[in-house]
Amino acid sequence: MAAAAPKHVAQLDPGCETNGLSYDAQTATLFAATGDGICHGYDASSGKETAACSGHTNYLHTVVVLPKSRQLATGSEDGTVRLWDLRSGARASCTCTLEPFSGTDGEPTERRNATARSVSTSW
């Protein structure tokens, strides 16, 4: 006996490419890291957008749900990683911005020392 075909529930369309997905089992939310620099959250049963984490200045490469701390982490082409507090639901707020290669004065290392790393992107 053949298995039944899966039922199509919804089609998610953030209006741009999706570069990463992460699922929050506690709230049944699927988060999408997208090319518009926003992490969109969708209700898994209806497909409706329920959250949008914005603040990055370039497209997102990745997203991951951190269930124990109720946080979301996003990584962007702008060279930053942001942590978002999921306890506030649709109004998830950025609680921390990590900037790799940043000095203690907040100035990116490559601006202070061009030999600090060998690549030329924000990362």
Side-chain angles (χ1 to χ4, degrees):
M1 178 185 258
K7 179 184 171 196
H8 178 81
V9 176
Q11 181 172 329
L12 309 178
D13 184 11
C16 56
E17 78 275 5
T18 298
N19 300 315
L21 295 170
S22 188
Y23 182 68
D24 181 9
Q26 186 172 340
T27 61
T29 302
L30 181 64
F31 289 96
T34 63
D36 62 2
I38 298 172
C39 182
H40 300 273
Y42 299 94
D43 178 270
S45 62
S46 69
K48 293 188 187 318
E49 186 169 353
T50 58
C53 301
S54 61
H56 285 287
T57 59
N58 210 324
Y59 64 86
L60 301 182
H61 285 286
T62 190
V63 59
V64 64
V65 172
L66 306 167
K68 289 184 180 179
S69 63
R70 299 303 306 138
Q71 290 183 312
L72 185 75
T74 54
S76 170
E77 183 67 15
D78 66 12
T80 64
V81 173
R82 290 180 182 253
L83 297 177
W84 307 86
D85 184 358
L86 292 178
R87 295 173 296 177
S88 53
R91 297 180 314 255
S93 59
C94 180
T95 59
C96 180
T97 301
L98 307 172
E99 296 186 58
F101 304 106
S102 183
T104 56
D105 59 0
E107 187 70 16
T109 305
E110 66 271 11
R111 291 190 191 140
R112 290 187 291 125
N113 180 359
T115 62
R117 59 194 181 105
S118 60
V119 294
S120 62
T121 66
S122 296
W123 280 97

